[in-house]
Amino acid sequence: METRDVVIVGGGPAGLAAAVELYKKGIRNVLIVEREKTMGGILRQCIHDGFGLTRFGETLSGPEYAQKFIDEVMELKIPYVTDTTVLSVSPDKVVTLASSNGLKKIQAKAVILTMGCRERTRGALGIPGERPTGVFTAGVAQAYINLYNRMVGKEVVILGSGDIGMIMARRMTLEGAHVIAVVELMDFLAGLTRNKVQCLDDFGIPLKLSHTVTRIVGNERVEGVYIAQVDKDKKPIPETEEFIPCDTLLLSVGLIPENELSRGADVKISRITNGPEVNQYMQTSWDNVFACGNVVHVNDLVDNVTVESMNAGASAARYAMHKLPEANREVPSVTGENVRYLCPQRVKIGEENETVRLFFRVLHPELDVVIRVKSGDKVLSEKKAKRVNPGEMCHVEVKTAEITRDDVTVEVVK
């Protein structure tokens, strides 16, 4: 059986960044496994700019951002295979691959999971109506237009104010379509504020908050949708229902980490993020299985994915060289007021006084808040923020030596 120090499952931005960091830390016997014909992941279809401001100090398109890492992988001669699917990762870290050459098993010292995420579909929403053509997830529509030069519709309604949905509202408009409205169930924006300004406001596209699609009309092709305002329990208000003629409905209603492999490897999954629970080294519940990027939790910026994946690569390298710090104890990251989740979910505390960055999302928007980090009743740090929004990732930093109690808690208060 072939052996590798580290196998990386996925050749998107997370897998590429982890691989480069592994190489720089001295681990060369690695393998990147990508199921598509080319590496780059979702970035290949994200032709808009705005990527790379933090990482590279310039604004890049998605393919340009991915290509920088692909070029580095090529230059460093890091081994990779494409058009190859990982079927399973066993508890003893045997990775089973399937390709046109048949099945192959690799014994790894460590595995890094970087499978990314997928979109929620109509089936997850339970919208009544027939099953006509013209209903797409926003990402699928993006792939059709940007990768295959295929227009998906002319009169468009978009359900959900996620970033891909808003970006596709602009893209469809630029291609000559009429985007009638973006409809959002919540009473606040689901994506980045900058995308609302650049993709909706600048093109005069209406955003209907506290609304949802209640029914899809059409047999062979979408003929229109009914939308309605929702009450405080997110249930449609019947008397507000209206019919909007359209030939296309795009769904931008959230992303789900791709974690069938993680579950198969018996990795502990967070019930909030639907991704593996990790510590500050991006270790899962198995010490020799690491995870990073959107497979752990859905990020709004690819630069954050890169930073997190470099951390995973560096930690996996230290693990493979038996240099990862031993922990005296481990404490949970606890969500306080107006915090939906924290990542990492656990913090290992050893002899080194490490700086740990905790990423989090809030439950609801708020202005003029204090972000407070505590251990028990002891306040470790506080910082003010002008505003927080569920669509935008926040973070705080904490020194492990300061965590003297049995938890570390983050809260966002007025």
Side-chain angles (χ1 to χ4, degrees):
M1 184 186 299
E2 183 180 333
T3 60
R4 297 277 180 173
D5 287 335
V6 182
V7 172
I8 300 170
V9 185
L16 294 169
V20 169
E21 193 65 19
L22 273 164
Y23 186 95
K24 290 179 177 178
K25 298 299 184 185
I27 302 298
R28 309 293 162 80
N29 185 24
V30 306
L31 181 67
I32 305 170
V33 183
E34 171 55 47
R35 66 184 177 187
E36 300 290 338
K37 293 186 183 298
T38 57
M39 294 189 292
I42 194 67
L43 292 181
R44 295 184 301 112
Q45 67 187 54
C46 300
I47 65 173
H48 52 281
D49 65 4
F51 299 92
L53 288 171
T54 302
R55 169 69 179 173
F56 298 109
E58 59 180 322
T59 181
L60 303 169
S61 69
E64 288 172 329
Y65 189 101
Q67 195 62 46
K68 282 185 175 289
F69 278 103
I70 293 171
D71 290 345
E72 198 163 4
V73 165
M74 298 297 186
E75 183 180 341
L76 298 174
K77 295 182 171 56
I78 298 173
Y80 68 92
V81 291
T82 58
D83 210 11
T84 302
T85 300
V86 175
L87 298 179
S88 65
V89 178
S90 70
D92 57 353
K93 307 298 107 36
V94 174
V95 182
T96 304
L97 317 179
S99 70
S100 57
N101 296 321
L103 294 179
K104 183 178 184 179
K105 292 183 180 292
I106 299 175
Q107 178 68 65
K109 291 181 181 177
V111 176
I112 305 181
L113 305 174
T114 68
M115 295 87 71
C117 57
R118 65 174 181 264
E119 296 177 284
R120 285 189 173 90
T121 63
R122 177 184 176 179
L125 302 178
I127 303 173
E130 300 298 327
R131 291 290 184 267
T133 60
V135 180
F136 303 88
T137 61
V140 167
Q142 185 183 58
Y144 271 121
I145 294 174
N146 294 347
L147 294 181
Y148 307 115
N149 198 30
R150 300 285 185 181
M151 193 61 176
V152 298
K154 288 295 184 183
E155 295 290 325
V156 184
V157 171
I158 299 176
L159 175 60
S161 61
D163 290 313
I164 301 176
M166 291 191 287
I167 287 165
M168 282 306 296
R170 176 179 63 186
R171 186 77 176 99
M172 296 288 286
T173 301
L174 291 172
E175 288 295 329
H178 175 215
V179 180
I180 302 162
V182 173
V183 180
E184 171 57 52
L185 178 70
M186 307 303 288
D187 58 359
F188 52 81
L189 191 70
L192 296 171
T193 302
R194 76 178 190 195
N195 283 331
K196 176 183 180 295
V197 173
Q198 295 173 358
C199 302
L200 303 186
D201 297 349
D202 288 355
F203 290 86
I205 298 170
L207 171 64
K208 291 180 175 290
L209 298 174
S210 298
H211 282 72
T212 192
V213 172
T214 56
R215 187 152 49 101
I216 299 170
V217 178
N219 291 314
E220 293 184 2
R221 176 82 192 196
V222 172
E223 298 171 4
V225 296
Y226 282 93
I227 70 168
Q229 193 173 345
V230 298
D231 59 23
K232 59 182 177 61
D233 297 319
K234 309 307 175 191
K235 294 182 178 179
I237 304 171
E239 56 268 27
T240 66
E241 193 172 61
E242 63 174 308
F243 179 72
I244 299 179
C246 64
D247 62 19
T248 305
L249 174 66
L250 299 189
L251 305 177
S252 179
V253 289
L255 301 166
I256 309 168
E258 289 268 16
N259 268 303
E260 286 72 21
L261 278 178
S262 307
R263 291 186 175 90
D266 201 24
V267 165
K268 187 175 181 181
I269 302 293
S270 165
R271 64 181 182 82
I272 304 297
T273 65
N274 291 315
E277 290 190 2
V278 295
N279 60 28
Q280 72 267 35
Y281 306 122
M282 306 312 295
Q283 282 177 301
T284 66
S285 51
W286 291 95
D287 286 348
N288 48 6
V289 177
F290 298 76
C292 55
N294 288 344
V295 79
V296 176
H297 61 137
V298 178
N299 287 263
D300 46 9
L301 298 174
V302 70
D303 285 333
N304 288 346
V305 170
T306 297
V307 170
E308 189 174 273
S309 302
M310 290 170 63
N311 176 23
S315 299
R318 295 171 78 184
Y319 178 88
M321 294 185 288
H322 307 287
K323 294 181 179 179
L324 202 61
E326 293 292 329
N328 299 327
R329 61 194 181 100
E330 187 175 77
V331 301
S333 304
V334 178
T335 56
E337 184 177 342
N338 196 20
V339 175
R340 181 168 174 259
Y341 76 82
L342 285 160
C343 184
Q345 290 87 358
R346 311 184 307 274
V347 179
K348 282 188 172 183
I349 301 173
E351 299 300 325
E352 295 182 17
N353 182 18
E354 300 179 68
T355 299
V356 176
R357 179 171 288 190
L358 296 169
F359 290 93
F360 67 93
R361 290 186 187 272
V362 296
L363 287 163
H364 55 80
E366 198 66 81
L367 298 174
D368 298 319
V369 298
V370 173
I371 301 171
R372 183 177 296 135
V373 185
K374 302 190 300 183
S375 181
D377 296 328
K378 179 184 176 183
V379 176
L380 306 183
S381 68
E382 289 184 338
K383 68 176 182 180
K384 294 181 180 179
K386 282 290 185 184
R387 64 178 180 83
V388 289
N389 180 58
E392 300 179 28
M393 190 82 72
C394 305
H395 73 269
V396 291
E397 292 184 346
V398 60
K399 296 281 190 181
T400 55
E402 297 176 350
I403 304 173
T404 55
R405 306 296 174 85
D406 293 330
D407 68 1
V408 56
T409 300
V410 177
E411 59 185 19
V412 178
V413 296
K414 286 292 286 184

